[in-house]
Amino acid sequence: MALRGPAALGPGSRRPLDEAVAGAEGREAPALLAAGGAPEDDEQDDGRGQGLLRWDGFSAWLHCVCVVGFDLELGQAVEVIYPQHSKLTDKEKTNICYLSFPDSNSGCLGDTQFCFRFRQSSGRRVSLHCLLDQFDKDLPVYLKKDPAYFYGYVYFRQVRDKTLKRGYFQKSLVLISKLPYIHFFHTVLKQIAPEYFEKSEPYLEAACNDVDRWPAPVPGKTLHLPIMGVVMKVRIPTCHDKPGTTQIVQLTQQADTNISVILPTVHEVDIFRCFCPVFLHSQMLWELVLLGEPLVVMAPSPSESSETVLALVNCISPLKYFSDFRPYFTIHDSEFKEYTTRTQAPPSVILGVTNPFFAKTLQHWPHIIRIGDLKPTGEIPKQVKVKKLKNLKTLDSKPGVYTSYKPYLNRDEEIIKQLQKGVQQKRPSEAQSVILRRYFLELTQSFIIPLERYVASLMPLQKSISPWKSPPQLRQFLPEEFMKTLEKTGPQLTSRIKGDWIGLYRHFLKSPNFDGWFKTRRKEMTQKLEALHLEALCEEDLLLWIQKHTEVETVDLVLKLKNKLLQADREHLPVKPDTMEKLRTHIDAIILALPEDLQGILLKTGMT
């Protein structure tokens, strides 16, 4: 199979749409930029705002699209990258190649969809689209991008083909993105991949061009996203949404004839289908994920491994899982040695694997979930048991949760009865997922509310904020002081579950998830203090102040106020718009009260 990368296409190469696609779409797709080519201005106003260059719209959603094929001499190889100016290092391309194909033992015939996550190469410049940074602040913490990682969304096809030497057609269409919108990108692939395998590159060019015309992924807005004749209606959640609600359902009461696909979620997986074989132990698994324990999911195929890993990460929502997780991990992964070494304790990471080799390599890991084939919706597999790790010899071992972990909390029999009743009554998987998701949400909220309450008490009183002093510091988090608050205001106020909650908190306070959560909360509270300090400054009569101080002190004040404005803008401080306007007015008034020579200098210094 000949490799067709950007270099092979040559500079300035242009491909027309094939007649079938052009007929269906009624237009031709503008050619993609050749490797190294300069971005062009898009002549047509496509609703993405003024001043955006060609491919800026695409970059807000995707880093690139890759086609990975199998070459008899080279093995797996990236055949095509779109847009052609997209940058991937050799290490990243190698990771994409191996992660885009199931292991040979998986025996995935037909079409298979799955997801992987890989580390961005160190040393490369982090080139994130400016719009992503702008909108990131409004996202829930668990949907914020991680600048160190890419997601790969795969549509793999393997069918018999006697015309090929190998006897099989094997190819993957892969979307590479920083955005963790699993359900959304899998839906996009379902729309375009089957036709791409029939129509090849011109069809893909047209699809990429459609993505480039999409509006930016603004949290909280209902977006209409057309792609190859299909219009998807989606809404990206915001940090202000009530957890556990799906806003788009309320927005789609009236039928819209232009909409082909309505997505109730952009990021959630079918959590009940994934937890179905282990739902008797779902609370124990919730604890393991919450505590950032090393966890391996051994599954028959990448679809099952990736869905289960993502369901595990999702089960502590709205808390963010701050450790690394790999929905599909192979022996060729660049972190393979780092994660399988026996010279140190296993890292805080969740791995999804399918290769039998891992049963031996990861025997020393403390918690292993072995799952069989996930049953289609409506069919319930036999419930697996908790077994001792020494019984896990090979990947052919029976499904089970292999661990010696003793949960801190008593098992909630109510949720088990509710789910079992649903199984007996043939309740749809979607409804079971809603029940399980709500259970996890209430469990996580019961756990986190006492921590939120204590951390809020570390905030200095508003009366201690003086406009003429630096903002006060947060009080220190003292674990023992927090533990004392649990007696009266612990999780027992909101949860019926009994057990060693204090032991669970002690363990959690040493985990990467606590560290990540507390750093995020501390940053938010520090920014709130800075915003309150700005508001206090705005309420002062600064013109009266300058009458009592020297010119040098006044100039120093102007420079400090300008720096405050720049900081508020740069760090997206939670400042009211009228506060910023008041401060600009104050700065202008102070400058005008100074001698003319100083006015000229200060007006040029910084921004007002």
Side-chain angles (χ1 to χ4, degrees), residues 77-363:
V78 176
E79 295 178 1
V80 183
I81 300 174
Y82 287 130
Q84 295 165 17
H85 62 274
S86 303
K87 298 284 192 295
L88 287 172
T89 65
D90 288 343
K91 187 178 179 182
E92 287 164 350
K93 284 180 189 173
T94 302
N95 272 331
I96 290 168
C97 279
Y98 285 117
L99 289 166
S100 297
F101 271 41
D103 280 314
S104 54
N105 64 291
S106 296
C108 298
L109 267 177
D111 292 355
T112 306
Q113 283 193 260
F114 58 94
C115 165
F116 61 83
R117 185 174 181 260
F118 65 103
R119 201 177 286 171
Q120 184 169 291
S121 293
S122 57
R124 73 173 275 170
R125 188 171 63 85
V126 179
S127 55
L128 288 173
H129 194 273
C130 59
L131 287 175
L132 291 183
D133 293 322
Q134 187 183 333
F135 302 132
D136 214 43
K137 64 184 173 70
D138 295 322
L139 286 167
V141 66
Y142 54 87
L143 285 184
K144 289 182 189 292
K145 66 185 182 308
D146 187 329
Y149 289 88
F150 281 119
Y151 282 85
Y153 302 99
V154 183
Y155 195 106
F156 170 72
R157 175 168 286 185
Q158 178 169 261
V159 291
R160 292 184 187 278
D161 188 336
K162 291 178 183 176
T163 65
L164 299 173
K165 279 186 186 178
R166 199 173 158 79
Y168 285 94
F169 171 90
Q170 293 173 306
K171 195 166 282 195
S172 285
L173 183 60
V174 190
L175 308 181
I176 304 296
S177 177
K178 290 279 181 183
L179 304 176
Y181 301 161
I182 295 103
H183 184 61
F184 170 72
F185 285 118
H186 279 331
T187 306
V188 171
L189 279 168
K190 270 182 197 166
Q191 300 300 328
I192 64 170
E195 280 202 72
Y196 162 70
F197 290 127
E198 303 298 325
K199 296 174 180 173
S200 202
E201 274 78 68
Y203 183 87
L204 196 53
E205 290 180 10
C208 288
N209 189 63
D210 277 349
V211 175
D212 189 42
R213 293 182 180 280
W214 284 357
V218 184
K221 278 195 175 181
T222 300
L223 306 173
H224 293 166
L225 309 174
I227 187 155
M228 303 311 287
V230 172
V231 180
M232 294 181 294
K233 187 172 186 174
V234 301
R235 181 187 178 276
I236 294 162
T238 78
C239 53
H240 310 295
D241 292 348
K242 186 181 175 186
T245 58
T246 306
Q247 302 282 335
I248 200 155
V249 174
Q250 294 139 26
L251 299 168
T252 54
Q253 298 300 326
Q254 295 177 338
D256 190 334
T257 52
N258 297 322
I259 306 299
S260 316
V261 180
I262 297 171
L263 296 186
T265 175
V266 291
H267 65 285
E268 291 170 347
V269 295
D270 187 341
I271 198 166
F272 179 71
R273 182 170 175 265
C274 300
F275 272 91
C276 198
V278 291
F279 76 71
L280 290 177
H281 319 297
S282 52
Q283 193 173 300
M284 179 181 73
L285 295 175
W286 173 84
E287 283 190 25
L288 291 173
V289 175
L290 180 77
L291 299 173
E293 286 287 308
L295 196 55
V296 183
V297 174
M298 294 184 173
S301 78
S303 293
E304 274 115 1
S305 83
S306 63
E307 279 189 46
T308 306
V309 169
L310 292 165
L312 286 166
V313 168
N314 198 242
C315 80
I316 61 166
S317 178
L319 264 184
K320 179 179 179 177
Y321 180 77
F322 279 93
S323 295
D324 191 8
F325 59 95
R326 303 300 177 91
Y328 175 49
F329 189 75
T330 76
I331 58 173
H332 303 287
D333 198 287
S334 49
E335 278 79 58
F336 174 74
K337 283 185 181 175
E338 178 189 336
Y339 284 166
T340 57
T341 178
R342 288 173 182 260
T343 57
Q344 58 193 47
S348 173
V349 63
I350 303 177
L351 297 180
V353 303
T354 63
N355 194 319
F357 181 71
F358 281 108
K360 196 173 184 181
T361 316
L362 299 176
Q363 263 183 337

Side-chain angles (χ1 to χ4, degrees), residues 452-466:
E452 290 278 8
R453 190 182 287 119
Y454 174 71
V455 167
S457 75
L458 305 180
M459 188 86 163
L461 296 173
Q462 192 159 350
K463 65 182 181 184
S464 67
I465 297 170
S466 163

